[in-house]
Amino acid sequence: MAIETLVLGAGQEVGKSCVVVNINGKRIMFDCGMHMGVSDHRRYPNFSLISPTGDFDTALSCIIITHLYCINTLFLRFHYFLIIKISHSLILYSYIFFFGIICDSHLDHLGALVYFTEVCGFHGPIYMTYPTKALAPLMLEDYRKVLVERRGEEEQFNSDHIAECMKKVIAVDLRQTIQVDKDLQIRAYYAGHVLGAAMFHAKVGDSEMVYTGDYNMTPDRHLGAAQIDRLRLDLLITESTYGTTIRDSKYAREREFLDAVHKCVSAGGKVLIPTFGLGRAQELCILMDDYWERMNLKVPIYFSAGLTKQANVYYKMLINWTSQKIKDSYPTNNAFDFKNVCKYERSVLDTPGPCVLFASPGMISGGLSLEVFKRWAPFENTLVALPGYCLPGTVGHVLMSKPPKIELDPNTKIDVRCQVHQLAFSPHTDSKGIMDLIKFLSPKHVILVHGEKPKMVSLKEKIHSEMGIPCYHPANNETVSVPSTVYVKAQASDAFMERCLKPNFKLHKCSSQELSIKTLTDKNIVPELQVINEKAVFIVEDKSKKLKVVHNDEVLVMLGEKKTED
Amino acid sequence: MEFTCLSKGRGSHFPPCHILNLGGIKILLDCPLDLSALTPFSPVTTAFYALPSLEEDKVDANNDVGSMAVPAKRQKIENQPENKTLIFAEPWYKTVMNLHLWNPSFIDVVLISSPMGILGLPFLTQMKGFSAKIYATEVSARLGELVMRDLVSMHKELKQFYGPTETDFPVWLRQEEVEKIPSVLREIILGKDGTELGGLRPLYSEADVNDCVLKIQKLKYAEEVCYNGILVIKAFSSGVEMGSCNWILDSPKGDVGYLSNSSFISSQVAAFDYQSLQGTDALIYSDFSTLNSTEDVEDEENESVQLADKLLMSSHGLVGLYHNAKEDSEEMEKLAFICSCAIESIKGGGSVFIPINQFGIFLQLLEEVSKAIDASAMKVPIYIISSVAEDLLAYLNIVPEWLSRQRQERLFDGEPLFDHVKLLEDKKIHVLPNIHSEKFWMHSREPCIVFCSHWSLRLGPVVHLLQRWHKDPKSLLILEGGVNPQLALLPFKPMAMKVLRCHFQPGIGLHRVRPLLETLQPKTLLFPEEFRSHISFPSEKFCSVLYYAEGETSKVSCKDGSELKIPATLASNFYWNAFKEQEINLARLNGELIIENARYHLLLDNTEKNSNGRTNSVSFRKPELEKLLATFSNFGINASVEHQKMNSESQIQCVIHTADPYKAVIEIGTSSVVITTAGENVASHLYKALDSVLKGN
């Protein structure tokens, strides 16, 4: 009995994750990503390996979405899936990828979920957490619009496709045990990272495994830390984005950011924060709202993106998915009712005086944030705060090198005199977090996905040497096979149970010879006379190959009785 | 397994209470309070007018009104209850009497199935020696907490009114005083034969509530929690109220299902998850709602209630096993009817008072009434008066996971879960913590709609409102089931205002009980005695049915033995000893027995002791000494019999010493052979020799 893991994507790389796992002769897929840098068919994982005929309904029993992925984090994670097969059932774990409006060359990596269900034709159930289900259509729709309107690309799917796809989605709550079919059972655990992110536990028969997706082991301003039960796992598949980094305190960087913003507004300058609708925007807003309150600042904060505003409506209803601190202050103070946030109107762009503006999309890749940037960048007292990573090719990326001029196109050049502040807190777990999780779960095997190869190798060595857990980091299209647990069922007699519950202590004397061997190693630990809890049991196999577990005394009775019968 | 029904409860506000002993673990199912037993107590308003004659010093303060209401001296024996026969004292609360027969320190687990099942819990948690683990769904715990806080704050008014008591034993509980209480009221509070006196308790404090809430472990639906490794507990939606649930308890000896008050109609809350209760070893049926509602209807028919204008609308939710649009509409019809009555009375210039009972119904009514007002183009303020109203309304908007699919759709559409969020923003609803708000009294001359606590009409803002409006024939009071209207309205007589009684009794429905149980297919069914005449089971095809009654203990036999799991890697390495005569194989294992998630696991003992411990096996024969010595010499072992005697005490028959090539002692007893050597290799070598003799080679 074995669990075979075939990696189709995100093996020793960041992006396009796709792993097919075969447990006890059954297959599941975790995540199914697209690669952003490739534009031909190679950007998709080789779905034909799941089912050469394209009959995904029989090949997969369900899809699980671990979270809604938001791009404005340090690393770009592409929509990726991973398939694991457990006892006749395939689970597809997948990320929905939201890029918002990113640079043009990378616009075609959206909604692989919709693509997979509506275009490839998967009709099985799809599982995701409540926040993910609530926010997914919002993002997908926005994404689709970007594709069609900005790039003029042919529609890969339309709004109806999104609606159809969402109908197949079954929302799950944390810790709820969902019986997908007779054999397959799944359960979501809180993963931090982004609202609604979850780690998924899958169990078939006696084989158990956890797929983490992205997680964060340290609580954030609006989300809690990842939480999971102690489980008996055969396999843990974990992300390893920050495989070798140990991050310092976030508070210093938050402080720095707030100081920079405060300095700017008190000098009468304007602050532009280009950000995507979810996650970071809320976190920064909570941070700033809090700071405004404490410092009694009156400078208006504007939230431009309709998306962000809509997202806040969801955040307010999904308070239970945020951090404990926010939950506790509810209902007297809903952290998402930002007191200092004013309603955005176009006129504020030209209104003199200081202000803070959250504008979408992040990375200043177009839309309002680019428009505002064009207007404000030539002024020295403007501050552009870039939360998170900016893709090459975006204005944000260019801006990080602080050039005097940015050339948008041959006809448009912007003088850049503004200050630039880059914030780098990412909601991914770091090396310590990964090690803590593995230590806590102590699975029998670990597979690392989604990380850069050198980082994976060193993390793998660390896991192997520190915990003695076999660890693998397969490359794409490689297979790893690990044994899975199978239990044999036996019937235990009541007398046996009763005896077992009572301790049966016996004195045991170590012979001097044994002692002399032992004293070499642990002199002080082994006394000459030991108390031993006798734990011997008898296992009886009868004609029908049924196992019975009985106590010592019962065996004799059993044999004796049978003899008299003869 | 032992099951004891402590109380079969009454209606949704007073759920049943049971104790289950599952393999030595004592589980208390719900801990409710019977708040309908407040009826014999006077609300603060009546007492205000009635008491001046008893407490002279208070008259001064209330001279202007006190003069009108000096009651006649109380007669010794009164048959007919009237408002002066109510108990003018700080009320005591009625807990489940039978629960006090149990030592609280022996309870291991408490399961709370609904927000109402929590109300008696602070009495239990403050008891000395109580250390049970308490489980409730997140929402049950939170809503229950709010109800308890509201209760404590409403009770404060009475407490302040009567002042501190000198003794722990109140005057009204003395034998002679108790006899003065009219029998109808006495029965409510003390039971038919007066034995329920022991269940009465003065109310807990806010600190007790806080303390109690901290002890609750909160669950989600279908979350698995493990008590002590030996019991896996799971809650499944029952479709009655937000957070209300049924339970599955899984132990190594089998699983038990607890079916509490459940409903197939759930337009507001998550649907009844009956599939998860399928195929249990034992199922406890504890939905008495159907019976209660039939009884209630009979009661009402016998009663001749002389109220000014009584519109009686009673219905016992006849539900289908599968969701049925028709039945859904039935509930909606009821709501629509209430709304139309409310609008009518508003149009006639009267106000409408709705005591809050069930949260789901309350929210629905709130939505329907506000819609009806909008439709009629009137501007009528809606007030919600309760100390916890603000928290409650805010909380109900953040629990999408616990609501019905229709409600969840609102989340996915980006709308608030309930209309009240918008109504509050538009200032159409006003939430007030208490009645003493200027805002309320300023506008209360105009017709308005007020939702307030408490449905017993003995506590909270409702008593003041009724005191003020009971003589207004234009106003309307909507009473939601549960209470005897005649007795409940006693303090406010003569009543001129209209009273509408409605009945929302969510339940499985009598005609659906059998199909449901046939679907669930438990091996053993514990069924209430009261239902025996209503529902019959086909005995031969169906499971075994045990009827239980209040206060009795039923025993259910468990299966013999427990299931145990052995890792296949270990099982495949067993060294089997075949016993051909008995046709069995035997293996001996020095292992470790662990229990995890209600399943036993047998693992190999990896500790070092194993290596120097004695390994042994079982054989049916006794070794023949000569043969053994011969075999030993075959194996190249030099052995000598040193000591041979019959010793009955030690059961050692003979001792064999070997010196060459290794030193060992072999003791042969009547039923065992013990080989003692210095090393394991030697032992196994000798063992092989012995084994070959034993096997008769």
Side-chain angles (χ1 to χ4, degrees):
Chain A
M1 294 294 179
I3 307 176
E4 281 169 21
T5 312
L6 167 65
V7 179
L8 291 178
Q12 304 179 357
E13 65 170 355
V14 177
K16 196 185 93 175
S17 302
C18 186
V19 182
V20 181
V21 183
N22 185 329
I23 304 180
N24 302 351
K26 294 156 190 191
R27 285 165 71 207
I28 310 174
M29 180 194 204
F30 284 97
D31 285 338
C32 172
M34 290 192 276
H35 206 290
M36 221 154 103
V38 191
S39 55
D40 60 5
H41 69 277
R42 282 178 297 148
R43 72 183 181 206
Y44 296 113
N46 193 351
F47 285 128
S48 64
L49 289 174
I50 310 167
S51 165
T53 56
D55 180 12
F56 298 114
D57 288 353
T58 47
L60 294 171
S61 72
C62 69
I63 298 181
I64 299 165
I65 310 291
T66 54
H67 70 274
L68 194 73
Y69 190 74
C70 193
I71 199 59
N72 59 356
T73 51
L74 189 61
F75 275 87
L76 286 182
R77 169 79 68 83
F78 312 123
H79 200 142
Y80 72 89
F81 292 72
L82 178 72
I83 293 187
I84 295 195
K85 188 163 189 191
I86 313 181
S87 328
H88 300 310
S89 26
L90 288 160
I91 306 180
L92 186 74
Y93 280 79
S94 142
Y95 291 95
I96 293 188
F97 242 58
F98 178 61
F99 288 85
I101 306 154
I102 318 165
C103 58
D104 278 3
S105 59
H106 298 299
L107 261 175
D108 35 18
H109 309 285
L110 23 121
L113 178 73
V114 179
Y115 180 78
F116 187 63
T117 59
E118 302 309 310
V119 184
C120 294
F122 172 73
H123 300 96
I126 302 160
Y127 292 94
M128 36 173 117
T129 57
Y130 279 90
T132 310
K133 185 179 175 185
L135 295 162
L138 212 83
M139 316 230 94
L140 289 169
E141 184 57 34
D142 201 71
Y143 218 0
R144 190 192 64 80
K145 274 190 208 150
V146 170
L147 239 200
V148 178
E149 285 162 22
R150 297 207 180 233
R151 254 198 120 196
E153 202 174 78
E154 203 184 311
E155 269 195 340
Q156 275 181 317
F157 55 88
N158 56 35
S159 302
D160 295 340
H161 281 146
I162 297 175
E164 269 313 301
C165 174
M166 293 318 287
K167 270 189 203 156
K168 292 172 192 162
V169 173
I170 299 170
V172 299
D173 203 351
L174 294 174
R175 289 170 181 276
Q176 227 167 15
T177 309
I178 311 277
Q179 208 75 40
V180 175
D181 57 30
K182 211 173 100 271
D183 302 313
L184 175 62
Q185 174 180 302
I186 57 165
R187 196 184 300 152
Y189 288 101
Y190 195 74
H193 185 67
V194 72
L195 191 77
M199 306 193 226
F200 274 91
H201 168 246
K203 183 180 175 184
V204 175
D206 297 317
S207 307
E208 293 179 51
M209 61 157 301
V210 163
Y211 180 77
T212 63
D214 289 352
Y215 60 104
N216 191 3
M217 295 294 277
T218 43
D220 162 301
R221 206 153 268 275
H222 74 300
L223 297 173
Q227 279 180 337
I228 195 160
D229 290 336
R230 224 173 259 279
L231 300 159
R232 263 176 202 280
L233 296 181
D234 293 310
L235 178 63
L236 171 73
I237 301 178
T238 173
E239 68 142 323
S240 51
T241 318
Y242 281 101
T244 50
T245 326
I246 292 176
R247 274 175 305 172
D248 53 351
S249 148
K250 243 169 60 170
Y251 293 96
R253 270 170 296 161
E254 284 180 358
R255 185 84 236 164
E256 228 171 80
F257 164 74
L258 289 171
D259 284 346
V261 171
H262 195 170
K263 206 175 122 203
C264 175
V265 292
S266 55
K270 292 183 185 335
V271 181
L272 169 67
I273 306 173
T275 172
F276 291 99
L278 268 180
R280 186 53 47 80
Q282 277 73 22
E283 199 189 342
L284 290 179
C285 216
I286 290 172
L287 183 71
M288 290 181 55
D289 203 53
D290 203 46
Y291 187 74
W292 253 232
E293 202 89 321
R294 272 190 289 131
M295 306 305 282
N296 201 19
L297 291 176
K298 295 284 174 252
V299 177
I301 302 174
Y302 300 104
F303 240 94
S304 80
L307 180 71
T308 312
K309 210 172 159 218
Q310 228 171 324
N312 279 349
V313 174
Y314 289 104
Y315 267 84
K316 278 187 213 170
M317 276 190 275
L318 296 163
I319 288 283
N320 282 322
W321 295 76
T322 58
S323 72
Q324 196 56 46
K325 202 177 146 208
I326 290 179
K327 269 192 257 180
D328 290 345
S329 65
Y330 189 83
T332 41
N333 171 29
N334 189 332
F336 297 100
D337 278 330
F338 303 114
K339 287 177 203 71
N340 296 290
V341 174
C342 315
K343 208 175 164 198
Y344 164 78
E345 276 157 26
R346 282 202 79 79
S347 58
V348 307
L349 296 186
D350 300 317
T351 314
C355 73
V356 177
L357 174 67
F358 283 86
S360 81
M363 306 183 198
I364 325 184
S365 53
L368 185 72
S369 63
L370 184 61
E371 193 191 328
V372 177
F373 178 73
K374 279 192 227 167
R375 274 191 216 202
W376 291 0
F379 301 101
E380 271 164 23
N381 57 358
T382 299
L383 172 73
V384 179
L386 294 166
Y389 180 78
C390 293
L391 264 181
T394 58
V395 175
H397 187 81
V398 180
L399 195 63
M400 279 192 287
S401 58
K402 296 179 186 167
K405 256 185 201 337
I406 292 178
E407 199 178 298
L408 285 183
D409 52 64
N411 304 322
T412 327
K413 279 178 189 166
I414 304 171
D415 289 326
V416 181
R417 294 196 195 90
C418 63
Q419 306 146 50
V420 179
H421 183 93
Q422 212 208 340
L423 268 140
F425 19 94
S426 164
H428 282 274
T429 187
D430 61 0
S431 151
K432 191 176 171 297
I434 297 172
M435 294 300 279
D436 285 347
L437 183 79
I438 297 174
K439 233 173 253 173
F440 178 79
L441 289 172
S442 41
K444 296 201 181 77
H445 306 273
V446 176
I447 291 179
L448 302 176
V449 290
H450 195 264
E452 289 156 3
K453 193 179 174 184
K455 288 185 181 179
M456 278 182 162
V457 172
S458 80
L459 184 64
K460 177 191 147 175
E461 286 309 313
K462 206 171 157 196
I463 292 166
H464 197 85
S465 62
E466 281 183 25
M467 281 172 275
I469 298 171
C471 182
Y472 310 90
H473 65 294
N476 286 347
N477 300 331
E478 272 181 17
T479 304
V480 174
S481 181
V482 301
S484 70
T485 312
V486 182
Y487 288 107
V488 176
K489 279 180 186 167
Q491 202 62 31
S493 72
D494 285 338
F496 166 74
M497 282 299 164
E498 210 174 295
R499 297 289 179 99
C500 279
L501 297 175
K502 287 177 198 148
N504 175 25
F505 291 120
K506 280 187 180 160
L507 287 176
H508 174 70
K509 195 179 173 190
C510 283
S511 68
S512 54
Q513 202 180 346
E514 273 176 79
L515 266 180
S516 63
I517 300 163
K518 276 191 182 146
T519 42
L520 295 174
T521 50
D522 40 15
K523 206 180 277 175
N524 302 321
I525 301 165
V526 184
E528 202 169 329
L529 204 62
Q530 286 178 306
V531 179
I532 289 171
N533 191 1
E534 189 79 10
K535 283 177 280 194
V537 293
F538 280 94
I539 295 140
V540 183
E541 188 182 43
D542 67 7
K543 274 179 283 185
S544 51
K545 288 275 170 196
K546 268 187 192 152
L547 291 184
K548 241 186 126 177
V549 178
V550 294
H551 186 256
N552 218 340
D553 298 350
E554 284 177 288
V555 177
L556 297 174
V557 174
M558 201 182 275
L559 295 173
E561 270 176 3
K562 289 220 171 120
K563 201 226 165 188
T564 48
E565 278 164 26
D566 292 341
Chain B
M1 187 186 107
E2 273 176 21
F3 175 77
T4 314
C5 171
L6 300 179
S7 150
K8 61 186 172 70
R10 199 181 311 113
S12 57
H13 66 276
F14 182 46
C17 177
H18 313 283
I19 277 210
L20 176 68
N21 184 339
L22 193 59
I25 302 169
K26 286 200 182 63
I27 302 154
L28 174 67
L29 293 152
D30 286 317
C31 190
L33 270 191
D34 186 2
L35 291 176
S36 66
L38 286 173
T39 308
F41 293 94
S42 160
V44 71
T45 46
T46 319
F48 190 72
Y49 297 115
L51 276 191
S53 63
L54 305 174
E55 290 175 43
E56 295 296 332
D57 54 328
K58 286 211 172 170
V59 175
D60 304 336
N62 312 312
N63 245 348
D64 46 344
V65 285
S67 54
M68 60 172 261
V70 178
K73 241 189 167 181
R74 282 208 253 163
Q75 285 158 17
K76 268 227 152 163
I77 294 154
E78 296 160 26
N79 288 325
Q80 223 23 58
E82 47 179 307
N83 60 14
K84 290 167 202 97
T85 61
L86 294 169
I87 303 165
F88 295 94
E90 193 186 322
W92 278 28
Y93 291 75
K94 195 169 168 184
T95 58
V96 176
M97 173 59 204
N98 287 336
L99 182 57
H100 298 287
L101 304 174
W102 295 71
N103 186 337
S105 58
F106 290 163
I107 298 171
D108 300 298
V109 176
V110 181
L111 301 179
I112 302 296
S113 321
S114 71
M116 292 301 153
I118 213 169
L119 297 190
L121 203 56
F123 288 121
L124 205 60
T125 51
Q126 66 183 347
M127 269 187 211
K128 210 180 157 205
F130 176 85
S131 61
K133 192 105 181 142
I134 305 161
Y135 297 97
T137 59
E138 264 172 26
V139 177
S140 282
R142 179 70 184 145
L143 292 180
E145 181 194 344
L146 291 176
V147 175
M148 287 193 286
R149 284 192 198 292
D150 199 25
L151 197 62
V152 170
S153 95
M154 287 188 290
H155 183 81
K156 209 182 270 168
E157 188 182 26
L158 283 163
K159 215 170 179 169
Q160 280 166 356
F161 181 76
Y162 290 111
T165 45
E166 294 98 46
T167 55
D168 285 346
F169 193 77
V171 178
W172 62 270
L173 260 179
R174 288 190 195 136
Q175 190 61 34
E176 67 271 20
E177 291 291 320
V178 162
E179 272 166 20
K180 281 186 206 161
I181 305 170
S183 59
V184 186
L185 296 177
R186 195 163 54 211
E187 213 170 273
I188 290 175
I189 191 161
L190 301 176
K192 283 212 164 63
D193 40 10
T195 49
E196 285 167 36
L197 181 81
L200 291 174
R201 292 282 181 279
L203 191 66
Y204 36 77
S205 67
E206 191 153 1
D208 295 329
V209 175
N210 292 341
D211 189 45
C212 165
V213 170
L214 282 179
K215 285 180 180 153
I216 301 173
Q217 180 166 351
K218 292 155 189 105
L219 306 179
K220 309 254 189 197
Y221 283 145
E223 178 178 344
E224 285 181 8
V225 281
C226 195
Y227 171 79
N228 256 6
I230 202 158
L231 189 69
V232 170
I233 298 164
K234 277 178 279 186
F236 294 102
S237 171
S238 67
V240 169
E241 183 68 275
M242 271 156 250
S244 68
C245 63
N246 298 316
W247 299 93
I248 289 277
L249 308 169
D250 195 2
S251 77
K253 284 273 184 186
D255 51 353
V256 179
Y258 177 69
L259 183 64
S260 68
N261 186 13
S262 304
S263 169
F264 289 99
I265 309 172
S266 46
S267 50
Q268 305 297 306
V269 300
F272 175 26
D273 184 1
Y274 61 89
Q275 289 99 329
S276 298
L277 305 175
Q278 264 167 332
T280 50
D281 289 323
L283 182 75
I284 301 158
Y285 181 91
S286 177
D287 183 352
F288 289 87
S289 61
T290 324
L291 203 68
N292 289 331
S293 61
T294 26
E295 274 176 359
D296 272 5
V297 176
E298 280 162 15
D299 280 358
E300 261 151 43
E301 277 160 6
N302 299 336
E303 265 171 27
S304 50
V305 187
Q306 293 145 3
L307 294 170
D309 183 5
K310 188 172 176 267
L311 302 156
L312 178 76
M313 199 179 61
S314 164
S315 116
H316 16 128
L318 301 173
V319 286
L321 191 51
Y322 305 101
H323 203 263
N324 189 329
K326 192 183 144 244
E327 283 146 3
D328 236 8
S329 67
E330 211 173 281
E331 200 182 77
M332 290 309 290
E333 264 171 41
K334 271 193 259 178
L335 288 168
F337 181 68
I338 295 171
C339 285
S340 69
C341 290
I343 294 294
E344 228 166 82
S345 106
I346 294 280
K347 277 185 180 156
S351 291
V352 182
F353 306 100
I354 310 170
I356 302 168
N357 193 346
Q358 294 163 52
F359 297 112
I361 302 291
F362 155 63
L363 289 171
Q364 253 175 312
L365 260 179
L366 191 61
E367 283 182 3
E368 292 303 316
V369 166
S370 64
K371 261 186 225 158
I373 289 172
D374 281 350
S376 65
M378 286 188 291
K379 267 200 96 166
V380 186
I382 301 175
Y383 294 96
I384 302 170
I385 309 174
S386 158
S387 59
V388 294
E390 203 187 338
D391 285 3
L392 179 72
L393 292 177
Y395 183 70
L396 291 173
N397 201 44
I398 60 162
V399 288
E401 299 89 352
W402 306 80
L403 301 179
S404 64
R405 271 172 194 273
Q406 296 97 296
R407 288 286 172 192
Q408 284 182 359
E409 281 309 313
R410 290 181 166 221
L411 166 74
F412 302 133
D413 293 343
E415 288 170 42
L417 300 171
F418 290 96
D419 290 348
H420 66 245
V421 178
K422 212 164 164 355
L423 293 170
L424 276 170
E425 269 173 27
D426 299 347
K427 303 258 186 279
K428 282 182 181 162
I429 302 181
H430 309 277
V431 177
L432 307 171
N434 55 51
I435 196 86
H436 316 295
S437 160
E438 217 173 282
K439 195 173 157 194
F440 176 70
W441 293 107
M442 290 271 282
H443 301 284
S444 62
R445 301 213 175 271
E446 302 154 21
C448 59
I449 294 172
V450 186
F451 290 89
C452 55
S453 4
H454 180 264
W455 53 265
S456 67
L457 308 187
R458 291 297 178 270
L459 294 168
V462 74
V463 296
H464 299 277
L465 297 172
L466 284 182
Q467 189 62 37
R468 159 79 174 72
W469 270 279
H470 71 277
K471 286 175 192 152
D472 177 12
K474 286 180 286 182
S475 290
L476 173 69
L477 171 72
I478 295 171
L479 264 187
E480 202 190 301
V483 281
N484 179 333
Q486 206 182 6
L487 293 176
L489 293 167
L490 206 59
F492 311 102
K493 276 187 172 177
M495 284 283 290
M497 79 190 294
K498 291 173 282 181
V499 178
L500 171 66
R501 256 201 101 194
C502 60
H503 210 114
F504 291 99
Q505 183 70 276
I508 290 168
L510 211 52
H511 71 292
R512 281 298 171 195
V513 174
R514 210 175 115 178
L516 172 67
L517 292 172
E518 275 163 8
T519 314
L520 297 185
Q521 283 190 316
K523 293 198 182 74
T524 311
L525 175 68
L526 283 143
F527 206 63
E529 181 65 45
E530 286 84 350
F531 281 77
R532 197 198 276 267
S533 55
H534 294 84
I535 296 156
S536 59
F537 297 104
S539 52
E540 66 287 349
K541 265 188 266 167
F542 202 60
C543 60
S544 63
V545 182
L546 280 171
Y547 290 94
Y548 69 83
E550 199 172 275
E552 283 174 20
T553 300
S554 350
K555 278 195 178 129
V556 183
S557 56
C558 287
K559 57 182 179 194
D560 283 339
S562 322
E563 202 180 83
L564 190 142
K565 284 175 165 182
I566 306 167
T569 44
L570 176 62
S572 60
N573 287 327
F574 284 148
Y575 177 68
W576 292 110
N577 260 337
F579 288 82
K580 290 193 186 88
E581 276 172 54
Q582 286 87 10
E583 293 183 298
I584 55 171
N585 291 328
L586 257 187
R588 194 185 154 98
L589 175 76
N590 226 359
E592 211 164 349
L593 183 74
I594 58 163
I595 180 149
E596 201 176 70
N597 287 328
R599 286 289 172 271
Y600 289 107
H601 293 255
L602 196 60
L603 303 179
L604 193 64
D605 189 3
N606 285 327
T607 51
E608 234 184 293
K609 282 171 239 154
N610 206 24
S611 59
N612 57 25
R614 299 172 296 178
T615 48
N616 38 11
S617 174
V618 165
S619 167
F620 180 61
R621 294 150 188 259
K622 219 195 293 174
E624 289 162 45
L625 209 54
E626 292 76 28
K627 224 172 176 179
L628 184 64
L629 290 174
T631 322
F632 274 164
S633 59
N634 280 351
F635 273 72
I637 302 164
N638 205 345
S640 64
V641 180
E642 192 189 81
H643 173 72
Q644 189 171 2
K645 69 164 188 189
M646 283 300 286
N647 186 340
S648 59
E649 263 174 52
S650 67
Q651 293 191 331
I652 291 172
Q653 286 183 324
C654 71
V655 177
I656 303 175
H657 281 273
T658 63
D660 193 39
Y662 356 80
K663 232 177 151 181
V665 182
I666 301 160
E667 295 169 329
I668 299 173
T670 46
S671 64
S672 66
V673 179
V674 179
I675 307 169
T676 312
T677 66
E680 202 174 346
N681 289 342
V682 183
S684 69
H685 199 75
L686 291 173
Y687 177 72
K688 264 182 219 157
L690 188 65
D691 200 34
S692 67
V693 176
L694 293 170
K695 285 199 174 131
N697 302 330

